[in-house]
Amino acid sequence: MSYLLRRIGFYLFTAWAAITINFFIPRAIPGDPVQSMVNRAQGQIDSNAIHSLYVLFGMDTDQSIFSQYFEYLGQLLRGDLGLSFTFFPTPVSEVLGDSLPWTIALVGLTTIVSFVLGTGLGVLVGWRRGGWADLVLPVTTFLSSIPYFWLGLIAITLFAGDGGAFPSSGGYDPGVTPSFTWDFISSAVLHSVLPAVTILITSMSGWIMSMRNMMVTVSQEDYITVAHAKGLSERRVMVSYAARNALLPNVSGFAMSLGLIVGGTLLMEIVFSYPGVGYELFQALGAKDYPLMQGIFLVITLSVLVANLLADVAYLALDPRTRREG
Amino acid sequence: GGGSSAAKTPSNGVLTIGMPNGPQTNNSNPFLESSAGASLGYRRVIFEPLVMTNVVKPTDPGKPWLATKWEWSDNFKKVAITIRDGVTFSDGQKMTADDVAYTFQLLKDKSALNINSIPFGDIAASGNQVTLIFPKSQYVNQNKILNTPVVPKHIWSKMKDPTTDPVKNPVGTGPYTLKTFTPQTVTLVRRDGYWQAPPKVTELRYTSYTDNNAQTTALANGSAEWSFVFIPNYKAVYTNKDPQHFKLWFPSVLAVHGLWLNTERKPFDNPVLRRAMNMAINREDVVQQGEAGYFYPKVDSITGIPTPAGEPYIADAFKGKNATVDVAGAKALLTGNGFTYNGDKLVDPSGKPVTITLSDPAGWSDYQTDLEIIKDNLSQIGIEAKVDKANEDAWTTNVETGNFQGVLHWTNNGYTPYDMYQNMMDGTLYKPVGTGGVSGNYGRFKNQQATDAIARYADATDDAGRKAALDQVQQIMVDQMPVIPLMAANAGGEYSTRHWVGWPDEQNPYAPAQPTLINALDILLHLQPAA
Amino acid sequence: MTAELDAPASGTTDDSDVVLEAEGVSKHFPVRRTGRDVVKRTTHHVHAVDDVSFALRRGHVTAMVGESGSGKSTVARVMAQLHRQTAGTIRLHGEPVDVRGGRRFRAYCRAVQMVFQDPFASLNPIHTVRYHLTRALRIHGNAGRTRAEREAALEDLLASVQLTPARNYLDKFPHELSGGQRQRVAIARALAADPEVLLADEPVSMLDVSIRLGVLNLLRDLKDRLRLAILYITHDIASARYFADDIQVMYAGQVVEGGDSETVTQSPAHPYTRLLVESAPDPDRLTGRTDAPEDSAQGEPPSLISPPSGCRFHPRCPFAMDRCSVASPPRLEVGDQPGHWAACWLFDTPSVEAAS
Amino acid sequence: MAVPAADVAAAVPVEEPAGKRRQAFRFLATGKAITGLVIIGVLVVLSVIGEWIAPYDPSARSSDLLEGPSGRHWLGTTHLGQDILSQLLVGTRSVMVVGLVSGLVATILAVVIGVTSGYLSGLGGEGLSAVSNVFLVIPALPLIVIIASIVPEVSTLGIALIIGCTSWAWGARVLRAQTLSLRRRDYVEAARATGESTWRIIGVEILPNLTAVIASSFVGTVIFAVLSEITLAFIGVSGGAEWNWGTILFWAQSQQALDQGAWWWFVPAGLAIAILGTSLSLVNFGIDEFVNPRLRTGGRMRAGFTPVVRGGDR
Amino acid sequence: MSEPVLEIKNLSVDYGMGPDAVQAVRDVSLTLHRGEVLGLAGESGSGKSTLAYGMTRLLPPPGVVSGGEVVYHPQDGAPVDILGLNRPQLRKLRWSEISIVFQGAMNSLNPVHKVVTQLCDVIKAHDKRSTPASRRARAAELMKLVGINTDRLDSYPHQLSGGMRQRVMIAMALALEPSVVIMDEPTTALDVVMQRQILTQLAELRERLGFAVLFITHDLSLLVELSDRIAIMYGGRIVEEANARQLYREPLHPYSLGLLKSFPALRGERRELTGIPGSPPDLRAMPSGCAFHPRCPRAFEPCADRDPVLAAPEDKTRSVACWLHVPGAGRTAENSTSSTTARS
Ligand SMILES: Nc1ncnc2c1ncn2[C@@H]1O[C@H](COP(=O)(O)OP(=O)(O)OP(=O)(O)O)[C@@H](O)[C@H]1O
Ligand SMILES: Nc1ncnc2c1ncn2[C@@H]1O[C@H](COP(=O)(O)OP(=O)(O)OP(=O)(O)O)[C@@H](O)[C@H]1O
Ligand SMILES: [Mg+2]
Ligand SMILES: [Mg+2]
């Protein structure tokens, strides 16, 4: 248990450091939210509006960056993430509330499916070394080296263009309202097929590779030979002896990738116009929407940390060697 | 596909509108540019202006809307507005002069909402009349004032802080009310009790696409029927998909996009060089290749005033004088004024070869293309140009502080050329290179005559005075060329006539075609179901 | 009378020969605290070595035997000052040493060198034999001033561990050498410091039967030629008999018996030593009939975190008496040979007499 | 009684010391790694000579607007009539420079921080490890975007440095773990017992043993850096004045090349990236196989049932 | 002597295939009789493990059995050649007839499963009708058999000491009451006290259950004490095979002698230790003739040229492969016939 306690202390420190960095670094960018807004409008916002925008965003007062920082920390402790500039005056928490479920549903599910499928395939490929299984590797290597946005755009052209079977953008049909109706769910699912498949294609090979390597390593352990010597069925040896042990290192990788769900999908969401956090972050970066950026970074930081904590716990649960009595 | 098939089928009374602005948050505050209402444009069909004006025909008188009559005192320091009778808000409450006065008072009190920085003085309502008094002439701002959307006092006065209220249930006098809001799609439905003949479109569906590509795709497959988006090679990608119905119309308005030169940097402080550069640039190529031939219409007049919108304002001396490519002329001009050629390299009078760095943010692909073309053009007269694909934030700061040689940039926009000229040349905006916080005159143009003439135009009490002032400004523009105007800003849009007809176009320019301007409402009122 | 002996056990040689001695040395390793400990503010320690005293003499091999985990390596590391002792003193030529890195540590290294247990792990796989030896010579200033002197020093070194001709070995990487050759290189490296004491931690246990002998003979030869004091650590009591002058037996972090090697192996006194000797494979005890003595001890080695009270062997000891679980036995003279002692109450003459 | 030393010597094959070279980079000698290295080599050559063998100036406009592949333009042209093959060739350099420079920068940082924090116990080590964990937590791409915005002039080299300075944390973590496992190795202790200084132990005893891990982390960073650079260019955050494959894709995308049917504008650059990525991955696999020899594919064999090949081809 | 239970005939095992194959076990013949302990000794790398794994076909890639026969004689029924079995047949035979105890018990037990699970696994695999309760009961019985308290059933391997793990492995090996147990250095990693405990237990169990043991170690002194017969391997071949006592008293092969002279004795006279000079042969470059001749102090003229054949020199109970014991060696050049084990 002390192990967990120490981890938690460590996580708290990391969280604080990350939050601090997330506060200061964006503010070092030249320019400010107002100018970005004017720039984005490319003439549609009058230069006379600049002053009123400064007033609107509360940026007309001279407040030292440190007092802002402590104010921000105070806000955070109260659970207040501030108001987004891009969507002024919508609270950051609301922006996140709108986008987070999409990301988590699509990417979360895809990550899990990718892990399960990739690991499963990796088990097979690692177990049946030589023969057809080895052909999987070059193919997956190639697929995983393709830049994601490129694959996504090609997929859109091929499958979502004229007469294509899939919609090219968005999270659901413009016509339907999010609710627990068949219409909405089917449309959401349909919209998620292409993004999901492209993510699967590029991310699965990582799991296949690492699982395969672990399988190969583990299948030369003595206890596997013993399991064969015991006359256990091939399946049992593969699953209960080899895969069960090979899985352990992959678990922490999986937790890591769960943590990256929120931050790692920027490109997918840009390419597929998916209404998730990644796209929001991209916008916030461009708009210098400090509160939104901080909010999203906070979510990312927390999810990575929580995922790591989960990985630690999972390791404790899965590997009896790390469990301690007493 | 699923997404398109639903939208492709004609839906009864529904019009689908798209904007490439990404997911929205539930915010219909009409005064905030950051709201979904502004970004998608639906605030225009909920909140109505006092007067409907048309940027495409800036000299046309405005259409009475919530105001039936408005009278400016001679020096444009006072306006008396008569409010229309029988107008109700969508919650059933009558709209009165009180509401109008409240709206102006709100702008006066909250400078955060006073986006046009109008200097309001006294605001008084009596009967159906509202009187506004200003400390100085509002000639150049008159339409901006009259375009103010009217909000219901009984609701807004109860808000804790109207500047930070997302107005999730917008109540206005317009013919539509908000039905549902999702970050991706906003649906509005037609309401009963609208004060004039109701529009035929019973439901508006605003979809926010993440980027231009998604928006273009939606237009091309018919799932969006009306939009405002830049489409490269629009024929191949858009109109050819259904040439009969897919249309676009991008009329120019009184603002330009041009090559701003830093007039304090040698050798670009020399107006001769600026004029010669102007002569070398091939506007046709810029517009055709960079702006896809339509997005920003070409500016022909050497005064920089976009036509046809600004036609009436062009000084007689310059009427019909168009900028043309004249490399030989440019060279002659240069060599006649102390410039020399070393081989084919241009050398300035002080003996230094002329080079220029043209800079714009890397992500602005049309501007980048334009710059590539300009670079090519400038090499014709021996100027070696370099295109810098800058980082947007750094670029913004550089433009602000005058730390650049040449950038493509826009000007302000208005109902007279005043806004654009003031933006380019007003000496009162001048700040030395290195100092930021400027809102115009990025090129650091310092010319007292121009400054005076601009001020005279705004304050003049009669048309003759204004014309004289504007003529002088144009003369200075042509002589000094602080900005090389290339193309006009637009107020256009892409639309489909498959289900709805009656859109504005070249022949019938009753309104700009852009779905986010106040005229959107006017257009909706013009739309008829296709036969 | 309790014949308590002063450490170290006196041998035949006089005390001026003592080079390095340990007196009451203990080494405790803190172990990871559990959540409950954090609350209770207690810490646990592995009592890897407790109150160990002995001396190493010039030209003398002292063997240290004991089962795995009894603390033999820890003793060696403490003696080499790779670990700092928790308690006790280490004396070099009678001077207590207290070195913490830096120049004084180097000076200490020059006198006391260690050879590690595993010849496959103790040479850096990426460096050549030449590198290993040159560094060791350089650090201790034995490399000479010129290249030729250095080469000569290298050749001498390799010759002293019988790796000749030197040029065949100098530029080899460890993986190109056999286990025995590697161990010789490791010994050569230790000799490069021109030490007085060699701490050899199981120098042959990783080696094959046929190679072991070569290394052991080499050590013995070095002892004779260079008058080195050698601590030979092993768990193979037979090799200790063969190779060492005297033997210290360790059990659970303590030395439980000491004496000259022939005596300890042929007439072991402490019950644990007896168990050890009886357990060793013996070809003369033929074919399956492992007529193990009835009194042979069973059970597991004790926990070093909370070692048994009194004599640490008492839970397994067939001769355990009441007092064994209460009081820790001191060193008691066995009486058969001079210098043979055991930490066992059985040899507390008055009490044994009283019991009989 | 002693074993005659001469016998021992005679039994080992004597090799000439001259033939012995330090084989620190043996790990690149596996089949996969060689394939990868050859491809990378070709790309490196292209990145040097690309400028000269490119048929056109990549920025030069021509009147062949948006033409498909032809004899004149093997990979077609852009909307400005620029030759895409030339852009691809000239763009190779920037990609390779960013990959190498940021790989180097990140690897050096990772080594310094990872190894030091692994070897030093106590506060110093823990602090460094905490720093790298903080960098791990902050999402890399957004961080790069932000830092790229802070720096006024982003040249190719600037991008490379930024990517390098933000992507060392993973390598540092791996190296720290490795160092932790190495620092208790006998040969490290032995070096200490010989009297070596701490810095010499880190630099000479530990570091070289991490070569393969370092190389693998280098290759990993290069892949990451190349993809990051291309992504940055693609989303229009950085362009620099120089061509790279990401810029090509940026132009293709902003001109909606695929919608216009101009696949030749979009496809080759993506494939080039994939090929570079694949070759780097191959090198990495090679290193993996070196570090873990069990991974070497040993033909069509499976554990548990040793094949019986009676009268085999011997 | 009793009937054979396992006969290895001319077994050869290679690592790899084709031109760069390494032959680690060369033409080995060996017979294990019912109920006996056959010791197999030899220095590291002599091919002991390869032989054990090869004959049970458990050798991991790139190992290949390249020739010979391994005949198992069931209690009742016809002899089977293990090398000719297909997977299911082999799987059925394994453990129920021939079980194996490997060197590293820590590595032989799956670290993530409880001891009881692993014990029950093997029962379940061979007895489909057993119930979980019956399996657990049997597991408890087995644990008692090797002297471990049954409350350790639910422990994970890492919670047990090395000696306990080794005993669990022995218990597992006996779970199905096989007739042959192969033990590859089962006690090398343990210290002498623990080793003694386990060997004592093994001897008791064998007396009770009557299985035959092939015991592999390089500790000859241990084997002499423990086994009935001893075979000595060198360079992938059996160089000598004899009754344990005979071998200890009177080793015939110089290599066996060398091995015996490498061990210091704990008791009795301090005897002369000579050891074996030189180092083991390189499998890729085997010396011609007798593989031991470069290290052999008594090598003479035929040794470098011709391979000696394992044959009985004077009586029928032992055999040796050495020219010293071939009458008239140096003249005969007859080594084409394959070697045969002297069998009773
Ligand atoms: N660095 C350490 N931290 C914690 N415990 C340790 C450490 N080093 C050794 N120990 C413990 O101290 C005890 C003695 O270990 P040591 O290595 O000295 O035994 P040993 O007699 O050399 O055993 P072996 O014969 O197996 O080498 C063991 O229980 C071991 O687990
Ligand atoms: N995978 C392999 N490829 C090639 N050669 C191998 C392989 N595995 C083992 N060998 C070689 O086969 C020979 C026999 O090895 P084996 O493990 O059977 O020896 P052993 O007698 O069991 O030794 P030990 O006492 O060390 O266990 C050795 O020389 C070894 O180098
Ligand atoms: Mg030890
Ligand atoms: Mg073996």
Side-chain angles (χ1 to χ4, degrees), chain C residues 292-305:
Chain C
E294 276 311 299
D295 52 65
S296 99
Q298 290 295 317
E300 304 274 323
S303 152
L304 290 180
I305 294 177

Side-chain angles (χ1 to χ4, degrees), chain A residues 227-278:
Chain A
H228 280 298
K230 288 202 275 188
L232 303 184
S233 72
E234 180 106 19
R235 242 181 82 92
R236 177 123 184 110
V237 180
M238 179 175 89
V239 175
S240 180
Y241 283 73
R244 177 69 171 72
N245 279 285
L247 193 62
L248 287 172
N250 250 22
V251 166
S252 47
F254 177 57
M256 235 4 223
S257 70
L258 281 183
L260 294 178
I261 285 178
V262 180
T265 57
L266 207 125
L267 282 175
M268 182 280 285
E269 293 180 358
I270 294 173
V271 167
F272 286 97
S273 308
Y274 207 75
V277 184

Side-chain angles (χ1 to χ4, degrees), chain B residues 155-495:
Chain B
I155 293 172
W156 282 66
S157 57
K158 294 198 193 88
M159 287 178 187
K160 206 166 115 233
D161 182 359
T163 58
T164 57
D165 195 302
V167 196
K168 294 194 178 177
N169 295 304
V171 171
T173 59
Y176 294 93
T177 52
L178 188 64
K179 182 176 155 215
T180 56
F181 184 96
T182 69
Q184 194 178 312
T185 306
V186 185
T187 314
L188 292 95
V189 289
R190 194 173 66 186
R191 72 175 175 105
D192 297 330
Y194 184 50
W195 57 271
Q196 56 177 330
K200 299 290 189 302
V201 179
T202 53
E203 185 176 320
L204 296 175
R205 220 176 267 163
Y206 285 89
T207 302
S208 192
Y209 296 91
T210 328
D211 59 7
N212 289 4
N213 289 23
Q215 177 65 71
T216 308
T217 313
L219 280 171
N221 67 22
S223 41
E225 295 172 276
W226 186 13
S227 182
F228 167 68
V229 63
F230 174 70
I231 308 177
N233 202 351
Y234 68 94
K235 288 204 186 86
V237 180
Y238 171 54
T239 51
N240 284 356
K241 304 264 151 114
D242 186 354
Q244 235 195 315
H245 298 115
F246 287 173
K247 309 278 182 206
L248 52 80
W249 180 51
F250 278 76
S252 48
V253 299
L254 295 185
V256 296
H257 292 249
L259 183 63
W260 294 62
L261 295 168
N262 190 331
T263 60
E264 288 201 332
R265 280 264 172 96
K266 277 193 185 313
F268 304 100
D269 57 343
N270 187 340
V272 171
L273 179 59
R274 302 199 291 259
R275 290 215 310 270
M277 285 166 73
N278 178 43
M279 291 161 80
I281 293 174
N282 186 334
R283 289 172 169 72
E284 186 62 29
D285 274 4
V286 169
V287 169
Q288 287 304 330
Q289 292 174 21
E291 304 298 340
Y294 76 97
F295 195 70
Y296 293 136
K298 190 164 66 156
V299 169
D300 286 320
S301 168
I302 55 168
T303 61
I305 297 178
T307 51
E311 194 71 58
Y313 294 106
I314 296 178
D316 298 333
F318 300 121
K319 276 214 177 4
K321 291 249 166 80
N322 284 354
T324 49
V325 183
D326 181 5
V327 174
K331 282 186 173 167
L333 182 64
L334 288 168
T335 45
N337 283 280
F339 286 84
T340 52
Y341 276 95
N342 175 9
D344 51 5
K345 296 243 178 305
L346 183 66
V347 178
D348 71 12
S350 72
K352 288 210 201 86
V354 181
T355 61
I356 185 168
T357 301
L358 305 170
S359 167
D360 264 295
W364 299 1
S365 63
D366 59 333
Y367 268 22
Q368 288 292 341
T369 309
D370 300 343
L371 290 183
E372 288 292 338
I373 296 167
I374 293 170
K375 165 184 157 190
D376 208 33
N377 295 155
L378 291 182
S379 70
Q380 305 279 312
I381 56 168
I383 300 178
E384 191 190 331
K386 193 179 126 216
V387 176
D388 172 30
K389 301 188 181 71
N391 167 280
E392 183 174 326
D393 304 300
W395 178 83
T396 309
T397 312
N398 287 343
V399 170
E400 273 244 307
T401 53
N403 184 17
F404 65 91
Q405 285 186 304
V407 293
L408 266 189
H409 198 277
W410 54 87
T411 67
N412 279 347
N413 172 354
Y415 284 84
T416 66
Y418 167 84
D419 297 87
M420 67 179 234
Y421 282 137
Q422 188 254 357
N423 202 223
M424 292 191 275
M425 310 200 276
D426 188 354
T428 58
L429 300 178
Y430 173 86
K431 288 203 177 144
V433 169
T435 314
V438 299
S439 56
N441 196 358
Y442 306 110
R444 271 59 188 177
F445 185 65
K446 221 154 66 174
N447 183 309
Q448 197 52 43
Q449 284 176 344
T451 310
D452 291 345
I454 286 167
R456 274 206 313 285
Y457 182 81
D459 294 335
T461 51
D462 57 4
D463 285 344
R466 278 190 281 271
K467 184 166 167 41
L470 192 59
D471 284 357
Q472 190 185 355
V473 175
Q474 290 179 36
Q475 184 65 52
I476 297 170
M477 175 72 190
V478 172
D479 291 344
Q480 299 278 326
M481 210 50 81
V483 175
I484 301 172
L486 299 174
M487 45 213 181
N490 67 47
E494 292 90 355
Y495 48 77

Side-chain angles (χ1 to χ4, degrees), chain B residues 84-125:
Chain B
R84 187 181 294 279
D85 228 15
V87 178
T88 56
F89 288 107
S90 57
D91 62 352
Q93 297 256 7
K94 266 178 71 71
M95 186 213 59
T96 65
D98 250 12
D99 293 307
V100 178
Y102 171 80
T103 304
F104 284 119
Q105 191 65 45
L106 187 64
L107 297 190
K108 179 181 173 186
D109 292 345
K110 304 277 182 192
S111 64
L113 301 181
N114 188 1
I115 223 150
N116 293 312
S117 304
I118 308 288
F120 288 103
D122 275 357
I123 297 166

Side-chain angles (χ1 to χ4, degrees), chain C residues 29 46 48 67-75 83 117 202 235 304:
Chain C
F29 293 105
V46 178
E67 66 190 340
S68 182
S70 55
K72 306 181 298 290
S73 297
T74 309
V75 167
H83 291 322
Q117 179 163 359
E202 312 205 17
H235 55 244
L304 290 180

